[in-house]
Amino acid sequence: AQSVTQLDSQVPVFEEAPVELRCNYSSSVSVYLFWYVQYPNQGLQLLLKYLSGSTLVKGINGFEAEFNKSQTSFHLRKPSVHISDTAEYFCAVSESGTGFQKLVFGTGTRLLVSP
Amino acid sequence: DAGITQSPRHKVTETGTPVTLRCHQTENHRYMYWYRQDPGHGLRLIHYSYGVKDTDKGEVSDGYSVSRSKTEDFLLTLESATSSQTSVYFCAISGEDRGDYGYTFGSGTRLTVV
């Protein structure tokens, strides 16, 4: 079974500052990793995913994440945030191999961007 | 999200009544999932489907049942609603091609049980 830990429940940051949202996972098998964003009163939208290959993954809206197998981490970064990035961010993991993915989600990190 | 719709968007129901939530997709994806979202818990899997009439339980399936009679529709039923089932429910789909890995979510149903 897999599990995900998002250590920070809330991250406040000023506009145009860099940000890192942390995600650690646990699994005894190979995994796929995902980051989702949820804006208020909306569903979740896929930001980026790691399936295989390059450990640095680029996603939408200028976000990127790096898969670190030895540290079992998949931290999300953005070099300069905007007010519009204020949202909740979820890290998720699934066993790799097929299109069927029982995603296990972290509890989320609320990113608060202020002027 | 385009390609997946949930209905209703909001519902208030009384304790003890049955409730059915609907998820409809136009992507012809094989896999469908129901999650619930609660503060402090993130999203937890209720039930999922591998295909028509092929479903299985997730980690929080007690009090819920599902049905999938067509590829495009996945129904979640609360047999007898309880206050602990007040939550936001999300449906998700995924496909078999690597480009479709990772879920596409519906917009959610906010259910309040009074």
Side-chain angles (χ1 to χ4, degrees):
Chain A
Q2 291 80 41
S3 67
V4 174
T5 301
Q6 292 183 246
L7 293 167
D8 306 304
S9 60
Q10 191 165 290
V11 173
V13 64
F14 289 109
E15 193 175 19
E16 298 184 7
V19 70
E20 177 180 85
L21 306 183
R22 296 181 293 170
C23 172
N24 287 89
Y25 69 93
S26 173
S27 177
S28 58
V29 298
S30 296
V31 297
Y32 295 148
L33 292 156
F34 306 85
W35 275 100
Y36 291 85
V37 60
Q38 184 179 33
Y39 300 103
N41 299 313
Q42 295 187 25
L44 283 76
Q45 179 183 3
L46 181 66
L47 270 179
L48 48 79
K49 58 187 173 186
Y50 171 80
L51 303 181
S52 63
S54 173
T55 58
L56 183 63
V57 180
K58 294 190 182 297
I60 62 171
N61 301 340
F63 284 94
E64 63 181 33
E66 186 157 19
F67 171 55
N68 187 321
K69 188 174 181 179
S70 64
Q71 301 204 355
T72 60
S73 68
F74 191 55
H75 301 332
L76 181 70
R77 302 184 182 101
K78 187 169 183 178
S80 176
V81 296
H82 302 291
I83 297 287
S84 58
D85 292 323
T86 294
E88 189 148 24
Y89 293 80
F90 292 92
C91 181
V93 64
S94 74
E95 184 175 333
S96 68
T98 71
F100 173 69
Q101 296 124 31
K102 274 170 53 176
L103 289 189
V104 175
F105 287 84
T107 52
T109 297
R110 190 171 299 277
L111 177 63
L112 299 171
V113 182
S114 54
Chain B
D1 271 86
I4 177 171
T5 55
Q6 291 184 235
S7 58
R9 289 296 311 276
H10 303 271
K11 186 169 181 66
V12 179
T13 192
E14 293 186 350
T15 299
T17 60
V19 177
T20 296
L21 309 183
R22 181 178 184 243
C23 178
H24 178 78
Q25 61 144 329
T26 57
E27 303 296 320
N28 200 36
H29 281 342
R30 178 178 175 182
Y31 308 112
M32 299 186 75
Y33 316 80
W34 277 107
Y35 282 80
R36 59 178 289 174
Q37 182 179 28
D38 304 288
H41 291 277
L43 285 87
R44 293 178 291 173
L45 182 62
I46 306 171
H47 280 281
Y48 54 94
S49 171
Y50 296 96
V52 174
K53 297 185 179 179
D54 196 357
T55 65
D56 208 344
K57 296 178 180 180
E59 64 175 308
V60 290
S61 60
D62 287 349
Y64 301 96
S65 62
V66 290
S67 66
R68 191 170 179 197
S69 59
K70 298 185 290 184
T71 297
E72 57 266 35
D73 290 325
F74 193 32
L75 304 180
L76 176 70
T77 297
L78 288 66
E79 304 290 347
S80 177
T82 67
S83 58
S84 65
Q85 293 176 313
T86 292
S87 186
V88 181
Y89 292 86
F90 286 101
C91 178
I93 59 176
S94 68
E96 295 179 275
D97 296 330
R98 281 177 73 86
D100 295 323
Y101 285 14
Y103 294 170
T104 299
F105 281 89
S107 298
T109 294
R110 184 173 296 275
L111 177 68
T112 303
V113 183
V114 299

